[in-house]
Amino acid sequence: MANQGMKIAVIGGGSSYTPELIEGLIQRHHNWGPLEVWLMDIEKGREKLEIVGDLAKRMVAKANGTIQIHLTCDRREALAGADFVIIQIRVGLLEARIKDECIPLKHGIIGQETNGAGGLMKGLRTIPVVLDIADEVQELCPDAWLINFTNPAGMVTEALLCYGSHHKVVGVCNVPVHMTATVADMLGVDKERIHIHFAGLNHLVHGLNIFLDGEEITEDLLQRLTDPDQQMTLRNIDPLPWQPEFITSMGVLLCPYHRYYYKTKEILEEELVQFQSGTTRGKVVKEVEEELFSLYQNPDLNEKPSQLEKRGGAYYSDAACQLIDSIFCNRQTIQTLNVQNNGAIAGIPYRSAVEVNCVVTKNGPKPLAVGELPVEINGLVQQIKSFERVAVEAAVTGSYEKALLAMTIHPLVPSDQTAKRVLDELLEAHHEYLPHFFSSQR
Amino acid sequence: MANQGMKIAVIGGGSSYTPELIEGLIQRHHNWGPLEVWLMDIEKGREKLEIVGDLAKRMVAKANGTIQIHLTCDRREALAGADFVIIQIRVGLLEARIKDECIPLKHGIIGQETNGAGGLMKGLRTIPVVLDIADEVQELCPDAWLINFTNPAGMVTEALLCYGSHHKVVGVCNVPVHMTATVADMLGVDKERIHIHFAGLNHLVHGLNIFLDGEEITEDLLQRLTDPDQQMTLRNIDPLPWQPEFITSMGVLLCPYHRYYYKTKEILEEELVQFQSGTTRGKVVKEVEEELFSLYQNPDLNEKPSQLEKRGGAYYSDAACQLIDSIFCNRQTIQTLNVQNNGAIAGIPYRSAVEVNCVVTKNGPKPLAVGELPVEINGLVQQIKSFERVAVEAAVTGSYEKALLAMTIHPLVPSDQTAKRVLDELLEAHHEYLPHFFSSQR
Amino acid sequence: MANQGMKIAVIGGGSSYTPELIEGLIQRHHNWGPLEVWLMDIEKGREKLEIVGDLAKRMVAKANGTIQIHLTCDRREALAGADFVIIQIRVGLLEARIKDECIPLKHGIIGQETNGAGGLMKGLRTIPVVLDIADEVQELCPDAWLINFTNPAGMVTEALLCYGSHHKVVGVCNVPVHMTATVADMLGVDKERIHIHFAGLNHLVHGLNIFLDGEEITEDLLQRLTDPDQQMTLRNIDPLPWQPEFITSMGVLLCPYHRYYYKTKEILEEELVQFQSGTTRGKVVKEVEEELFSLYQNPDLNEKPSQLEKRGGAYYSDAACQLIDSIFCNRQTIQTLNVQNNGAIAGIPYRSAVEVNCVVTKNGPKPLAVGELPVEINGLVQQIKSFERVAVEAAVTGSYEKALLAMTIHPLVPSDQTAKRVLDELLEAHHEYLPHFFSSQR
Amino acid sequence: MANQGMKIAVIGGGSSYTPELIEGLIQRHHNWGPLEVWLMDIEKGREKLEIVGDLAKRMVAKANGTIQIHLTCDRREALAGADFVIIQIRVGLLEARIKDECIPLKHGIIGQETNGAGGLMKGLRTIPVVLDIADEVQELCPDAWLINFTNPAGMVTEALLCYGSHHKVVGVCNVPVHMTATVADMLGVDKERIHIHFAGLNHLVHGLNIFLDGEEITEDLLQRLTDPDQQMTLRNIDPLPWQPEFITSMGVLLCPYHRYYYKTKEILEEELVQFQSGTTRGKVVKEVEEELFSLYQNPDLNEKPSQLEKRGGAYYSDAACQLIDSIFCNRQTIQTLNVQNNGAIAGIPYRSAVEVNCVVTKNGPKPLAVGELPVEINGLVQQIKSFERVAVEAAVTGSYEKALLAMTIHPLVPSDQTAKRVLDELLEAHHEYLPHFFSSQR
C-alpha cells in the first residue's frame, strides 16, 4: 500500500450504488496517486456490471479523473494485489429480499432485511459467501483492508472477525452518518459542527452524547425531539414519532431501527397493511432499481443521478471513501465503524463486532473505550448480540438446530412454533442459496 | 443466634401459605432448641391472621411441637431480636393482582403477576414497603437473615441488595425445587437423586446440567422431553408443549416462566380467551383463598389441608425451612437461591441479584461460580436484568419517567405507545399503593 | 466409576509419601467397594517402588483391608481403566531440587522449589512429563479424575488446564489444610469447627474470612497473631514472625509462602547462611528420605512411621483421600483445590488455575464465587499468575526467550542480568531433563 | 470557555519549569484569543514567584505576545473563572525529596521520588493538598480542566478521580513524548512520523506497537535496541543497557522507569554508591535549580535558558500546551494521558487512572480501547495499581496502617520489617507535611 497508487476491488460492482462510490472516489483520489478500480460481479450480473461500469467511466472522464475502471467477472483477478476490497453483494438479489419480507408477514411477524427473521435469512445466505471472499483476500491480497457494506452488516462482521481467515476487516454503515446529518439539519448547522459519541451494534446504535462545536447538547436535543413539529425533521428516517416521555427518559439518541423493538406493534401493523395491498419495501426498491438502470444506460449521463438518493443508501459511499482516505493517508479521523470490540463496550465478548467510534490511522480503526452502556440500552444490545452469535454459528455450520435457535430467541419472533413455521418456509424458499443447509446432516 | 433457641418473624403471617410453613417448621424444629414464631400482619388483615394463627397453634399442639406461636399487628414487636425474618406480603392484596392481570390484557398484552407490565407494577408497590422492613430489621434485629418470598422476588431482592440498609438477605423461590421434583417424577426416582446446576434470574432460571446419582443426563433428559407422552409429565407446570427441536437445540432445561418469552403469542391468546370469559389466574386464586380460609376456620382442622396444594406455592415453605436449618445448623447444603452475584455469572453486575446454586453455611449462602452463561440464554437474561434494574430505580425514586422506561424496554411490551397507555391506567388503578409516584415531583 | 469398586493409579508410586496415602485409603476404602491401587514408578525407581510397595502391602494386611496393591513400571498398565490417577512425581529427583536451591543462592537470590527461579525450573522439567501423562489418561482411562500433587502445583495445573488433552484435573495442596489445623490448634479447638474462605493461587493462598462454629472470628484471630506468644504456635509453619501492624492492616490470613514476598530480605539472609554452611532444605530432605527408606525396609513395620511427618507433607494424603471419597460418593463437601477459575476470582482468566474453596460432587469440584480479591492482595496474585502463564508457555514450547522472560518478571529475581546468568546455569545443570530446550531452535 | 479568550491558573507558578510553559503558551496562544496567565505560589515561595514571573513577562514582551501575566499568592484569586488549572506543586520542596531519596537508601532500599518508598511519601504529602485544590476548582471554576503535572502523577490522578470533588481531570507526563522522540532520533526521522500505541500506568507505560509513517516497525526497533551501539542513543534516558534477549522476548517497548523493577539490583548498587559519596538526584537538582534562579534574575534574559533542559522536565510544557490547545480548539489529536480507565485496559477498575492514548476533543480526552495487556506486562501493572490504590487510601484517610500496608506490598520494599523502619523514619522526617497522620487516631 505504498504511495505509488492504490487498487480497489469492488465485489458486487454491478450494484446500483456504485455511481455514488465512484463519485466519492473521484472527489478524493487526488491524494492517493494513480487509482485502479476493479468492479467485479458474478456472471449472472454481467449486464448490470457493464451498464454501471460504462457510467463509471463516463463519470471519471467528465471529472478529468485519473482513475482506471476495470470490469470483470473473475473475482481472483479483481482481488489480486488489491489495497482495499469493498463487498457490496446481495446473494439471491432483490427476489430473495422480497421473500424475506413477505414470508414472515404471512405468518404475522415483521419482515425486514436486516432484523428478525428476514435479517437471519439474509445472514445465512450471505455469510458463507463472504467467508469465501475473505479466504481469497487472505490468499491474493493479504495486506488489503476488507470493507463490508453488505447487510446484515453486524452479523457479517461478526462472522468475518470470529470465523474468517482475514482479519483486516471493517464494517461500514450509513446510519451514524445519517443521524449526525439529521441532527445538523434540525439545528440548521453544518454537519461538521456536530459530533456524536456512538456506541452499540450495527442497526442498533445509540448516540450517547451529542455535541455542537464541542459543547454537549444531548438533553436539549432530546427535549427538542419531543416537540411534534421538530420530530417532522426526523420523520424521513423514522416516520412514526416516539412517545415524548420515552425520548427524554431514555437519555440517549436512538437510531431509526430501534423502532422495530420499541414500536413493534405499530410497525407490524403498518407492514401488514402494505403487505395486504401487495407491496413491500423490497418491491419498491426493485422498481427504483429498474428505473435507475434505465437511467444509467443513457450514454449522455456522466454523473450520479439524483434519483439514486431515493434508493436509501445515501452516505454509504461517503463513509467508505472517508475510511479509505483515512487509512491510506493515516489521517486519525474519528468514524463510527463495525470493528472488533476488544473491551470497548463492557459485557460484549472481546472478539465480537460492535459499532462504535474509532480513530482511523494507517493501521486501521481503533475503537474508543465506551465502558458500560447505560443500563437502559444494555439489555437489548446484549440480546441482539447473543442472537447474532447464534445466527453466525448457524450460518457457518449449516445447522438447522442452530438456525431454529437463533430464530426463536430473536425478540421479534413471538414463539417457538411461529419460529419453526417461518424458518421452514424460508429455508425452502431460499433452497438454492443455502446449500450447506441441504446436505447430508439434515 | 445462639443454640438456646430461635425466633422467627413472619411478615404477612396471615397468608394462606402459612400452614405449609408451620408444617415445615414442625418437621425440623427439634434441631434448633426452643422456637418462637411471630406471625405479624397489618391491622386490615387481623381477622385472617387470627384464623391462620389458631390453625397454626392447633397444628403445633397435634404434633406435640415445642413451638410458641405469637400473633401481632405490631411489626416492631415481631422483629425485635428475631433470628430470621420471612417476608410474604402482598401489597394491595389479590385485588391489586387482578388489576395487574386485567389492565394489560385490556390493551392486548400479557398480564401476569411477576413478568411484564404486571410484574413491574407489583414491584413498584412492594419494594418501598420491603425497604422499610429492611430498615427496621437493621434497627431491631441486625443479625437476622431476611428471607423474602414476595414476588417479583428478583426485583425485590435486587432492591434489597442495591438500596436496602440490611444486607443479610436471601430471596427464595419454589421454581428450582419444582423443576427438580418434576425431573425426578419423569424418571420415577426419588428427588434426592437428582441434582441440577441452576443459573439465571428469578423466574428465568435454567438447568444447565442435570445429574442422576451424580452422572450427567442432560442430553437424555432433553431428548425425553421432546416425546409428547413424556411432556405430559411436565404439563402440570407448563401446559403448552415446546417445539421439540427447540428443546434439544437450546441444550439446557428451561423453567416454566420461559414460555412467556418463547411462547408469547400462544400464552397471550390463551390469556385473552380467559380474560374475555371473565376469568384470570388472580380471580381463581381468590376463590381458592376464600375456600382455604373457610377450611382453616374449622376448629377440628389441625394439619395443613391438602387443598392448599392447589394454591400453587408448593415447596416454598420447604425451601425456606431448609434454608433456615442450613444456616442455623451450618449444614453446607446446596440450594438454589436469589443472592448477590459477586461474579458468579459473567456479565451481570457484582451487586445485582441472581438465582443460582449456593452453598449454605452459618454465614449464609455463597454462590458457586457459573462463569459465562451459554450464549443462547445470555441475551434474555441480560435483557430482563436490565429491565429489573431500571424498574427498581423507578420503585425507589418514584420516578414516572423511569417507570415508563422500564415498561417500554420490557420485551413483553410491544411499543412505547402501549407502554404509556398501560402504565398510566395501572398507576391510576393502584394510586393508593403508590404514594411516592403521586407526590410533588410529577 | 460404578459402585463395583475403584482403581487408583499412583504415578510416582515409589515416593516416600506413599505410606501416608495408603493409610488414608485404608481408613476410607470401606465405602468404595473393592479397591485396586497400582503403584507405578520409572525403571530407575524400581527399588524404592518395591520397598514402598511391600510396606503398603503389610499396612493393608495389618488393617485387614480389602485393597489389592499392584506394583509396575509400565505406566500404561497402571492407567488402563483407572478411576483416579494421582501424580506425585519428581523429575530429576532430589538432586535436581538441590540444584534449584543452590544455583540461585550462588547468584544471591532465593532458591526454593516452588517459588522464583527454582520453582520455574521445576515447572520446566515437570510440565512436559505431566502433559504426556494427561495424553495417556485421555487415551486409556478418559473418565478418570487426574489428581496432581507435584509441585509447582499452580503451574502444573495451569498447564494441564490450558494445554492438556484431559480436562478432569484437580491440583491438591496441603497448605490450606495445614492453615486450618494451625488455627484450630491456636484456639485449642477441633479442626472441624474451623472454616476458612480461602482464595488465591497455589502457595499464595489467603484466608479471607475465618469462622469458628460458623461465627466470623477473622479480626480476633489476626489480633491474636500479633501477640508474640501466640505467634509461637504458628512458628512451626513460619518461623519468622510478621510485623504485628502488617498482620492487622492486611486483614486476611496469609499463607506461609507469603514470607518469600513480604520477608524476602530476611529469608534470603537465612538461606544464604545455610547455603554457606553447606546445607539447604533439599539436602535435609534427602537425608530424611534415606532414613525413611531404611525404616520402610524393616519387614516388621506395618504402619506409617511417625518419622514421615518430618518430611513436611502432612495432610497431603488426607486432602487427596477426602477428594477421592467426595467425588466417588458425591458428598458435596467443601475443599480448597486448584481448579479452573471460570470467573470465581475477578481479573484472572477464566481458563487459568486458581486455589479456591470448591464444592465437590461426583462431577468434580465447582469453585465458589469469590468476586474481587481485596486490593491489598490482588497485585501480587496477578503478578504471580502472569509469571505462571509465561512460565507454562516456556515449558510447553521449550522457548529460551519465554523462559528468560518468566525468570526476569518474577518478583524474586532482581534484574534482567541476574535472570540470564541464573537461567543459563540452571538450564545447563538440568540439561538432561530439558530435552525440548536443547533441540534445533536454540 | 468561550472563544473570547482563556484564563490559565498555574498552581506552583514559581517553579523553575514555568519558563518552558510560558514558551509553549507563547507559541500557541494566537489561536485562543486574549490569554491571561495567573502564576500562583504559596507565601513562602513569593520570591521565586516574582523572579519567574518577571522573566515570564520579559519573554512575552520579546515575543510580542498578547498574554497578560499575573502573580499572586491568593489561590482563590488565581482560580476564579479559570478555563485551565495547571498543578505543578512540590509539597515540602526539594528538601523533602532529598529525604525521600536518602532515608530509604540508609535502609538499603531504592530511594526515588516517584517509585517505591519515596514515591509513596511524596503521594502522602501531595494528595491532600491536591484534593483541596480540586475542591476550590469545583467551587470557583467548575468548568475548568484540571491538568496535573505533580508527581507521583499516577497516584495523584487516581486520588483526584476516586476521591476528588472535581472530575474534569487529566494527568500529564513527559515520558511517552520522550520515548517517541528517542525512537525518532534513533531512526533519524522527524518525531511526527513516529506513532506509538502506549498503555499502562504513569511511569510504567509501554509502547505496545510502534509505527513509522503508519507502518508497524515494533520488531525491527526492538531488534535494533539489542545492538549496544544503538542502545547508546537511549542511554540518556536509561544508562543501564537491557539484556538483549529480554528486550526481544518482552516484545514491547519498556519505559525508562521499568529499570527500577527489572534492574533493581544494579540501580540500587548505583544509588548506594552515589549516596555513600554524599550525592543523590535531589541534591543535583537542587544545585541546578539554584543556578537556574540566578540565571532567571538576569534582567536581560528574555527567553527560556538552555540550562533548563538539564533539569529533566523537557516536553512537559509541550505536552500540556498541546493538551490545552486540543481541548480549546476541539482538535481530535491523539495524546498519551492519565485518565479514568473506563474499560480501556482490561482488569483495571473502571474508575482508576491509567496512562493511555486518548483522542482529545473539546470534551476532554477519551481513551482508546487497549483490551488485555500482554500477559508479560500485566502482572507488574496490576501490582503497581494495587499499590497505588492502597497508597491513595492511606493519603486520604491518614491511616498509619494503610500506609504501612502500601509500603510493604510495594515490590521494591523487600520485607515487612524494612517497610516499618523506613516508614517510621520517613513519617517522622516529614512530620510537618503530614498533619493528618499526626492527629488523634494514632
Side-chain angles (χ1 to χ4, degrees), chain B residues 19-321:
Chain B
E20 192 178 272
L21 180 67
I22 297 299
E23 185 188 56
L25 296 175
I26 287 171
Q27 284 162 7
R28 287 174 175 86
H29 77 290
H30 299 292
N31 300 318
W32 304 337
L35 171 63
E36 281 177 43
V37 177
W38 288 71
L39 302 178
M40 179 269 158
D41 218 315
I42 55 175
E43 203 53 60
K44 208 169 147 187
R46 184 183 286 275
E47 193 194 332
K48 285 188 175 179
L49 177 66
E50 284 173 1
I51 294 169
V52 167
D54 288 346
L55 171 56
K57 288 173 187 172
R58 294 192 303 271
M59 289 172 69
V60 170
K62 188 200 172 191
N64 291 317
T66 57
I67 306 177
Q68 285 178 39
I69 305 285
H70 300 263
L71 310 184
T72 182
C73 291
D74 179 345
R75 198 161 75 189
R76 297 178 65 88
E77 186 187 26
L79 294 177
D83 298 300
F84 293 92
V85 177
I86 291 173
I87 303 184
Q88 52 177 26
I89 62 175
R90 181 179 286 282
V91 179
L93 305 176
L94 284 167
E95 291 305 329
R97 174 175 176 170
I98 293 166
K99 291 176 189 166
D100 285 345
E101 290 170 348
C102 293
I103 293 172
L105 284 166
K106 232 177 80 184
H107 292 272
I109 69 173
I110 282 176
Q112 202 271 340
E113 85 164 328
T114 65
N115 283 270
L120 171 60
M121 295 317 291
K122 193 165 194 303
L124 298 183
R125 292 195 303 276
T126 305
I127 286 168
V129 178
V130 171
L131 290 176
D132 281 351
I133 297 172
D135 286 346
E136 283 186 11
V137 168
Q138 183 61 19
E139 179 193 347
L140 299 168
C141 48
D143 291 333
W145 279 96
L146 184 53
I147 300 175
N148 178 61
F149 285 15
T150 300
N151 272 326
M155 270 183 248
V156 171
T157 311
E158 180 85 17
L160 284 165
L161 291 170
C162 297
Y163 296 94
S165 56
H166 182 79
H167 286 113
K168 294 174 78 173
V169 163
V170 195
V172 171
C173 182
N174 65 343
V175 168
V177 187
H178 213 136
M179 288 168 75
T180 304
T182 308
V183 168
D185 281 356
M186 281 183 64
L187 301 176
V189 303
D190 193 83
K191 75 176 194 288
E192 277 63 43
R193 294 175 60 194
I194 298 297
H195 181 69
I196 303 183
H197 289 168
F198 283 109
L201 308 180
N202 182 246
H203 289 195
L204 201 69
V205 76
H206 311 77
L208 302 185
N209 308 88
I210 305 167
F211 302 94
L212 170 62
D213 297 331
E215 306 285 348
E216 180 149 14
I217 56 163
T218 315
E219 212 171 311
D220 286 354
L221 191 95
L222 295 177
Q223 197 57 51
R224 193 185 277 249
L225 284 170
T226 63
D227 173 345
D229 288 341
Q230 284 289 344
Q231 280 201 331
M232 301 285 289
T233 325
L234 265 184
R235 200 163 290 175
N236 67 323
I237 325 182
D238 184 357
L240 295 171
W242 293 108
Q243 175 58 43
E245 286 92 341
F246 177 60
I247 294 174
T248 50
S249 64
M250 185 50 95
V252 303
L253 185 66
L254 299 181
C255 83
Y257 288 89
H258 275 95
R259 62 178 176 155
Y260 287 101
Y261 301 102
Y262 298 136
K263 287 195 165 303
T264 316
K265 184 166 165 276
E266 288 81 0
I267 299 248
L268 179 57
E269 284 166 2
E270 205 177 79
E271 287 192 352
L272 285 172
V273 168
Q274 287 173 16
F275 174 61
Q276 276 139 18
S277 76
T279 182
T280 69
R281 178 76 192 148
K283 290 179 188 170
V284 172
V285 164
K286 208 174 161 204
E287 282 164 28
V288 172
E289 290 254 308
E290 280 157 15
E291 186 195 349
L292 283 172
F293 275 94
S294 83
L295 280 171
Y296 292 176
Q297 280 177 286
N298 176 359
D300 296 332
L301 182 74
N302 54 13
E303 55 182 21
K304 186 186 73 176
S306 63
Q307 290 89 333
L308 178 50
E309 272 155 41
K310 278 200 272 175
R311 177 67 185 82
Y315 301 115
Y316 255 112
S317 74
D318 202 57
C321 292

